[in-house]
Amino acid sequence: MARVCQLTGKVPVGGNKVSHSNIKTKRRFLPNLQTKRFFLAEEDKWVTLKVSTEAIRTINKRGLYNVVKELRARGEHI
């Protein structure tokens, strides 16, 4: 699977690793993705999402049902 957050759309970005002697080599900054199971009480089932830690905080704040409703409106299969 791709390293993409299902909720926020975060993807790896490129940059430089800089050594002590200031030599720059290419590297990738990966998003902090977690595969997490959430219990969707309204539908009485478990939902598995691949989300960033920022998205987990968003789910805690806005509620899982609202987030899942928005994802389905976008066309995500959940």
Side-chain angles (χ1 to χ4, degrees):
M1 282 179 69
R3 291 188 173 105
V4 179
C5 176
Q6 285 183 291
L7 183 59
T8 61
K10 285 187 175 211
V11 293
V13 293
N16 287 318
K17 176 180 171 185
V18 182
S19 69
H20 178 68
S21 60
N22 208 27
I23 297 170
K24 295 166 185 72
T25 55
K26 286 304 215 181
R27 62 158 290 183
R28 285 172 32 141
F29 290 93
L30 301 177
N32 187 4
L33 294 181
Q34 309 294 322
T35 302
K36 182 110 172 74
R37 290 175 73 220
F38 296 96
F39 186 72
L40 190 56
E42 288 80 4
E43 298 178 12
D44 196 38
K45 69 177 187 176
W46 288 93
V47 176
T48 302
L49 297 174
K50 190 172 188 179
V51 290
S52 64
T53 51
E54 179 188 332
I56 293 173
R57 290 171 53 103
T58 302
I59 290 169
N60 287 339
K61 181 177 180 179
R62 293 177 41 208
L64 178 63
Y65 186 67
N66 292 330
V67 170
V68 168
K69 193 165 48 170
E70 178 188 310
L71 287 174
R72 287 180 176 155
R74 260 198 275 167
E76 289 263 352
H77 175 70
I78 295 177

